[in-house]
Amino acid sequence: MWRFSGNQLKRWRTKANVSREQLAAASNYSPDTVKAMEQGVRMPTPRILDVADELCRAEGMLSAAKDYLSREKFPAGAVDFREREKEAISLWWYEVTYIPGLLQTKAYATALIQNHVPLLDDETVQERIAARMERQAILAERKPPVALSFVLYEAALRSPQVDEPQLRRLLELGNLLNVVIQVLPFERATAPALMGPMVLLETRDHERFTFTEGALSSSLSADPPAVSRAAQMLSMIRAEALSPDESARFIERMVDQP
């Protein structure tokens, strides 16, 4: 939808003999941002679609795309996983460098999303922050509760973006009966723990998926060998991690550090 809407934006602009600079000035974006939207690198925003619709006399054809684009709350590579997450009865999650989205405070999520590369426009930033917060309903509002297990590598806790409220949020969520949070200290890390983040998800129909997400690509797979490998690696990582009680004390010590 990003690429199609961006392509239509460019076609209507060209047909109406409106320059990219004119559209940028009218919509209060830079020409480079307009170019990125036309190429599908950035999501065309409601504002630019409405402005372009009026400038190009598209009679609602461009503005109509807003209803579809507004549903794109997540990066393209993560959309399938988010849909499966809605059906989950259990999640095993291992994270190397970030606090998982389901455990993030709004301030921490904002710091990450605002520094996305390439940079996102303000509307997209706010949509993604809201979507991330909405996802957290899985923590306590599902009936029956979803079984959630998280292992966080110590590096994720040592990130400059992790402040005291975020650490206290982890302690708070770790008290929920359906949530287990463990810490993997630096000295306990084995080779599987250094290979990157991974998630193992089981749906209501008892389908199992593995999800991996990186800086340049994401992958959701139901391939049995891939799921089996993820399960084995996650089991090894959990065995090396501190127990939930030890993990809580580890995080408490971080909170108490000056």
Side-chain angles (χ1 to χ4, degrees):
M1 281 303 301
W2 289 24
R3 290 193 297 271
F4 178 77
S5 298
N7 179 268
Q8 290 299 303
L9 182 63
K10 182 178 180 179
R11 287 176 179 272
W12 277 97
R13 180 179 60 73
T14 302
K15 180 181 178 182
N17 199 29
V18 174
S19 70
R20 184 174 290 146
E21 288 72 19
Q22 287 174 309
L23 178 56
S27 57
N28 199 29
Y29 288 114
S30 71
D32 285 342
T33 298
V34 174
K35 180 180 179 181
M37 292 181 189
E38 290 182 345
Q39 292 177 339
V41 177
R42 286 190 175 191
M43 184 185 79
T45 64
R47 184 168 80 226
I48 200 167
L49 290 170
D50 285 339
V51 171
D53 196 278
E54 183 176 349
L55 277 179
C56 302
R57 299 182 178 85
E59 299 182 350
M61 298 294 288
L62 288 173
S63 293
K66 293 187 297 183
D67 292 338
Y68 299 92
L69 290 171
S70 62
R71 298 172 191 162
E72 301 285 354
K73 295 181 178 180
F74 304 105
V79 171
D80 288 343
F81 172 70
R82 303 307 178 217
E83 291 301 312
R84 294 292 182 271
E85 189 178 78
K86 295 175 184 177
E87 308 166 4
I89 60 171
S90 70
L91 276 170
W92 285 13
W93 198 307
Y94 172 61
E95 186 56 70
V96 181
T97 54
Y98 300 110
I99 305 298
L102 296 180
L103 306 180
Q104 293 176 6
T105 62
K106 187 174 182 179
Y108 179 86
T110 300
L112 296 184
I113 294 171
Q114 283 183 333
N115 288 284
H116 183 276
V117 178
L119 290 173
L120 304 171
D121 61 84
D122 290 342
E123 289 163 294
T124 302
V125 167
Q126 294 307 315
E127 286 178 359
R128 291 196 180 178
I129 293 169
R132 189 163 298 183
M133 296 299 102
E134 288 171 10
R135 284 175 56 210
Q136 295 183 3
I138 193 175
L139 294 167
E141 297 180 17
R142 297 273 188 91
K143 304 296 182 186
V146 180
L148 300 165
S149 175
F150 301 90
V151 178
L152 310 181
Y153 188 42
E154 184 176 347
L157 301 177
R158 300 291 181 186
S159 167
Q161 290 83 15
V162 177
D163 56 12
E164 182 178 329
Q166 177 62 77
L167 293 173
R168 292 191 181 281
R169 176 65 172 164
L170 295 177
L171 293 172
E172 174 190 342
L173 294 175
N175 288 325
L176 296 176
L177 294 178
N178 62 313
V179 177
V180 174
I181 297 177
Q182 295 175 261
V183 174
L184 179 68
F186 289 132
E187 64 270 16
R188 292 198 180 193
T190 57
L194 302 177
M195 296 179 68
M198 68 191 82
V199 182
L200 189 64
L201 179 152
E202 183 177 0
T203 70
R204 298 187 190 99
D205 296 327
H206 302 294
E207 294 179 289
R208 296 207 302 169
F209 296 86
T210 181
F211 178 69
T212 56
E213 188 172 27
L216 301 177
S217 63
S218 302
S219 174
L220 178 72
S221 175
D223 178 54
V227 170
S228 177
R229 285 195 301 273
Q232 291 178 51
M233 293 173 69
L234 283 166
S235 294
M236 293 174 65
I237 291 168
R238 290 176 71 183
E240 293 297 327
L242 300 175
S243 72
D245 286 343
E246 291 171 328
S247 298
R249 289 193 291 271
F250 185 99
I251 296 171
E252 286 170 352
R253 288 194 296 271
M254 291 186 66
V255 171
D256 293 335
Q257 288 174 356

